[in-house]
Amino acid sequence: MGVKILGIETSCDETAAGVVEDGRRLRSNIIASQASLHSPFGGVVPEVASRQHIRDIVPVLKNAVEGCGLSLEDVDVVAATYGPGLAGSLISGLNVAKAMAFTLGIPFIGVNHLEGHIYASWLTRYDPEEAPGFPLACLIASGGHTDLVLMEGHGDYKLVGRTRDDAAGEAFDKAARILGLGFPGGPEIQRVSQDATGEERLPRAWLKDTHDFSFSGVKTALLHLAQAKGVYPPGSGGLAGAETARVVRELAAAFQESVVDVIAAKLLEMAAKYRARGVILGGGVAANARLREVITQRCPLPVIIPPPVLCTDNGAMIAACAYFQYRRGQQFSLDLDIDPGLPLG
Ligand code: KG4
Ligand code: ZN
């Protein structure tokens, strides 16, 4: 029997828990999304998020454990995200995990959320350590981060590039708001872009000679173009419904193309410069179909991308990551505090 780890994730607006055996075998992955609660506000409301975690955490945990035929006594290690993220959200998951470790008398592991996104790739049919092997060029693109990280071994990270303003997911969310689409914006932009002809184009911020990103310029360019085309503010332009929908999908596609092009180019540049043996994608934006397609097409190295449900926030990735921390003997005491600004590398 392998080591069964229960991973708990509450850093933002998903209450999630999953059980993973020996870091790679996915036993369960339960996610209670709060998207519909935050949607009317066009973004995550921290106070609403923390209160909803408190309501959802116990049923989610119960489902994650019992759903794969286990009982609490079968869990060997309990792990939770302790940063980065929203303070009130992190506290709820971390406290539950510590209380479980205390009452069950089992080890507790604190996990860096960003490192968790990387380890979602260990839940695929590949073992990235075996093939392609380290070093790995990792992209973590989420609502709060757009990081290029060189992973030289388990727990060994070097932050090579990051966003200087908006994170990629945040940019998708803001672009969707400009275009009058729903929240979260990434999936909405992807959905409407599918039927676009590709006739519009937005600029790319290359920030030459650095591995850093900037997405605020393209967002502003989108705003100006949307104004000029009569679709911003949403509902103000007097265009017929079908014409509005047409303009919105062309602008959404132009925005997606611009963000994807820059991310793909910079990730590949970084991978070549640091002689990475392969590329890993993680974070909510890695669920984007166009990003997955472009990187897979352009990258000369092996590319590992978890299925979309493991790219967005989940507890299984936290359990996978915790296994490798546990295996190398990392220990956490039960007075571990949250760290909302926790960096990686
Ligand atoms: O990793 P994640 O679930 O939570 C954070 O750690 O932030 O990422 C959430 C972000 C949101 O900004 C959301 O719009 C974006 O990921 N996202 C996407 C897609 N699915 C989620 N962005 C682009 N395309 C998608 N399909
Ligand atoms: Zn995340």
Side-chain angles (χ1 to χ4, degrees):
M1 272 301 235
V3 179
K4 291 177 287 304
I5 303 191
L6 172 65
I8 301 175
E9 157 60 40
T10 63
S11 68
C12 190
D13 63 338
E14 257 99 27
T15 315
V19 175
V20 172
E21 205 170 313
D22 285 342
R24 296 209 48 223
R25 190 168 160 237
L26 183 64
R27 299 280 306 259
S28 67
N29 192 28
I30 305 295
I31 302 161
S33 169
Q34 304 178 359
S36 60
L37 274 181
H38 300 290
S39 171
F41 305 100
V44 177
V45 185
E47 170 77 15
V48 173
S50 22
R51 297 190 68 162
Q52 194 59 33
H53 284 309
I54 291 180
R55 293 191 191 102
D56 286 340
I57 188 83
V58 170
V60 163
L61 282 172
K62 216 170 139 50
N63 264 331
V65 174
E66 292 172 4
C68 60
L70 298 176
S71 66
L72 276 184
E73 289 67 34
D74 299 318
V75 173
D76 298 306
V77 177
V78 60
T81 304
Y82 72 102
L86 300 170
S89 289
L90 289 165
I91 282 173
S92 54
L94 182 67
N95 262 344
V96 169
K98 292 200 292 186
M100 284 181 69
F102 178 68
T103 47
L104 293 168
I106 58 176
F108 159 74
I109 303 273
V111 175
N112 180 318
H113 180 79
L114 302 170
E115 194 179 359
H117 274 306
I118 290 179
Y119 275 93
S121 281
W122 266 258
L123 294 169
T124 63
R125 60 198 163 92
Y126 307 97
D127 179 349
E129 181 179 1
E130 301 254 302
F134 298 121
L136 293 161
C138 310
L139 166 75
I140 306 165
S142 68
H145 291 81
T146 311
D147 291 344
L148 290 177
V149 174
L150 188 72
M151 181 181 193
E152 298 186 283
H154 290 292
D156 184 358
Y157 308 98
K158 181 160 147 179
L159 180 64
V160 174
R162 59 184 177 80
T163 181
R164 294 190 179 173
D165 40 56
D166 292 348
E170 187 183 3
F172 268 103
D173 293 338
K174 289 179 177 170
R177 218 178 313 165
I178 290 170
L179 296 174
L181 300 169
F183 172 85
E188 287 294 296
I189 299 261
Q190 175 179 323
R191 182 179 59 79
V192 300
S193 297
Q194 271 167 10
D195 304 317
T197 61
E199 66 192 45
E200 293 293 346
R201 190 183 158 86
L202 285 164
R204 281 114 173 96
W206 290 113
L207 305 188
K208 288 259 178 261
D209 304 322
T210 147
H211 296 294
D212 285 352
F213 299 94
S214 166
F215 296 111
S216 70
V218 61
K219 180 194 65 193
T220 308
L222 172 72
L223 179 75
H224 290 153
L225 197 54
Q227 249 163 354
K229 299 257 171 193
V231 296
Y232 183 85
S236 67
L239 295 181
E243 179 57 8
T244 301
R246 192 191 67 76
V247 173
V248 162
R249 68 175 176 258
E250 294 302 334
L251 294 185
F255 177 83
Q256 176 174 267
E257 220 43 43
S258 169
V259 171
V260 164
D261 194 16
V262 174
I263 291 180
K266 287 193 169 260
L267 173 61
L268 270 45
E269 237 171 61
M270 173 262 191
K273 178 169 167 187
Y274 289 91
R275 298 180 198 286
R277 296 172 72 166
V279 164
I280 278 181
L281 265 56
V285 179
N288 184 272
R290 183 67 184 143
L291 181 69
R292 300 162 80 93
E293 178 183 56
V294 168
I295 290 178
T296 311
Q297 279 168 0
R298 287 196 208 162
C299 186
L301 302 168
V303 179
I304 301 177
I305 317 176
V309 69
L310 293 172
C311 288
T312 45
D313 289 349
N314 66 87
M317 71 183 195
I318 301 305
C321 182
Y323 171 76
F324 293 92
Q325 294 176 261
Y326 176 70
R327 204 180 66 173
R328 61 179 179 265
Q330 233 175 311
Q331 289 185 359
F332 292 85
S333 82
L334 288 180
D335 59 8
L336 179 73
D337 195 3
I338 58 160
D339 188 348
L342 184 67
L344 182 68

